[in-house]
Amino acid sequence: QVQLVESGGGLVQAGGALRLSCAASGSIFSMNAMGWYRQAPGKQRELVAVITSGGTTNYADSVKGRFTISRDNAKNTVYLQMNSLKPEDTAVYYCNAGRYFGYEGDYWGQGTQVTVSS
C-alpha cells in the first residue's frame, strides 16, 4: 500500500503562485510515476503533470510554461510549482502514484483545493 498526503492548496489571485507538495509513504519503491491530476466542478479529472523517478516529465498543454513538477526521491515527495495562475486553474488537485509512466496509477491522495480568483 502507498499513502499520499497533499498540502499547499489555497486561495490566490490570478497571476499569483502556489506550490503543492505530495508526501508518499508505504510501499513506494515501485512507484516510478508520480503526478498531479485536477478536477474542476462539472468536469472530468485531467492530467496536469507527471514525473518519473528518473526525471522524465509530461505536462498538460494548458499548464506548459506555467507549472513545474519536481521530485525529491530521497524525501519521497513530489512538488507542483504553479505560477501565473488563472481562474480556470481552479480545481481540486490530486496526487497520484503508479508504476507506469503514461497511465494513471492506483494510488491517490485526498485532494487539495486550489482556488484562483479573478
Side-chain angles (χ1 to χ4, degrees):
Q1 289 294 324
V2 173
Q3 294 80 41
L4 304 172
V5 179
E6 302 112 332
S7 60
L11 173 65
V12 64
Q13 288 188 331
L18 284 173
R19 189 176 84 152
L20 306 183
S21 299
C22 174
S25 60
S27 302
I28 59 174
F29 63 92
S30 62
M31 297 296 109
N32 178 49
M34 293 187 70
W36 293 93
Y37 289 73
R38 67 187 181 186
Q39 187 166 22
K43 295 188 176 181
Q44 289 189 331
R45 184 172 61 204
E46 62 176 356
L47 171 71
V48 177
V50 63
I51 186 169
T52 69
S53 56
T56 299
T57 59
N58 187 38
Y59 293 91
D61 288 342
S62 60
V63 307
K64 283 180 181 177
R66 300 188 298 122
F67 290 11
T68 302
I69 190 169
S70 61
R71 180 170 178 167
D72 186 333
N73 290 327
K75 294 183 178 180
N76 298 322
T77 300
V78 64
Y79 305 95
L80 185 68
Q81 178 65 45
M82 304 185 293
N83 298 330
S84 302
L85 283 160
K86 303 176 181 180
E88 51 263 43
D89 295 317
T90 295
V92 178
Y93 284 68
Y94 296 93
C95 182
N96 178 258
R99 292 187 176 186
Y100 306 111
F101 186 72
Y103 298 90
E104 286 187 3
D106 292 332
Y107 300 98
W108 294 91
Q110 80 283 0
T112 185
Q113 177 71 46
V114 171
T115 303
V116 184
S117 63
S118 57

Coordinates of all heavy atoms in Angstrom, one line a residue, residues 39-45 90-91:
Q39 N -9.5 18.2 -10.9 CA -10.9 18.0 -11.3 C -11.7 19.3 -10.9 O -11.7 19.6 -9.7 CB -11.6 16.8 -10.7 CG -13.0 16.6 -11.2 CD -13.5 15.2 -10.9 OE1 -13.0 14.5 -10.0 NE2 -14.4 14.7 -11.7
A40 N -12.2 20.0 -11.9 CA -13.0 21.2 -11.6 C -14.5 20.8 -11.5 O -14.8 19.7 -12.1 CB -12.8 22.2 -12.7
P41 N -15.3 21.6 -10.9 CA -16.7 21.2 -10.8 C -17.3 21.0 -12.2 O -17.2 21.8 -13.1 CB -17.3 22.4 -10.1 CG -16.2 23.0 -9.3 CD -15.0 22.8 -10.1
G42 N -18.0 19.9 -12.3 CA -18.7 19.6 -13.6 C -17.8 19.1 -14.7 O -18.3 19.0 -15.8
K43 N -16.6 18.9 -14.4 CA -15.6 18.5 -15.4 C -15.0 17.2 -15.1 O -14.9 16.8 -13.9 CB -14.6 19.6 -15.7 CG -15.1 20.9 -16.2 CD -14.0 21.8 -16.6 CE -14.5 23.1 -17.2 NZ -13.4 24.0 -17.6
Q44 N -14.4 16.5 -16.1 CA -13.7 15.3 -15.8 C -12.3 15.6 -15.2 O -11.7 16.6 -15.5 CB -13.6 14.5 -17.1 CG -14.9 13.9 -17.7 CD -14.6 13.0 -18.8 OE1 -13.7 13.2 -19.6 NE2 -15.5 12.0 -19.0
R45 N -11.9 14.6 -14.5 CA -10.5 14.7 -14.0 C -9.5 14.7 -15.2 O -9.7 13.9 -16.1 CB -10.2 13.5 -13.0 CG -8.9 13.6 -12.4 CD -8.8 12.5 -11.3 NE -8.9 11.2 -11.9 CZ -9.4 10.1 -11.2 NH1 -9.7 10.3 -9.9 NH2 -9.5 9.0 -11.8
T90 N -8.7 26.7 -11.2 CA -9.4 26.4 -10.0 C -9.9 24.9 -10.1 O -10.6 24.6 -11.1 CB -10.6 27.3 -9.8 OG1 -10.1 28.6 -9.6 CG2 -11.4 26.9 -8.6
A91 N -9.6 24.1 -9.1 CA -9.9 22.7 -9.1 C -9.4 22.1 -7.8 O -8.7 22.7 -7.1 CB -9.3 22.0 -10.3

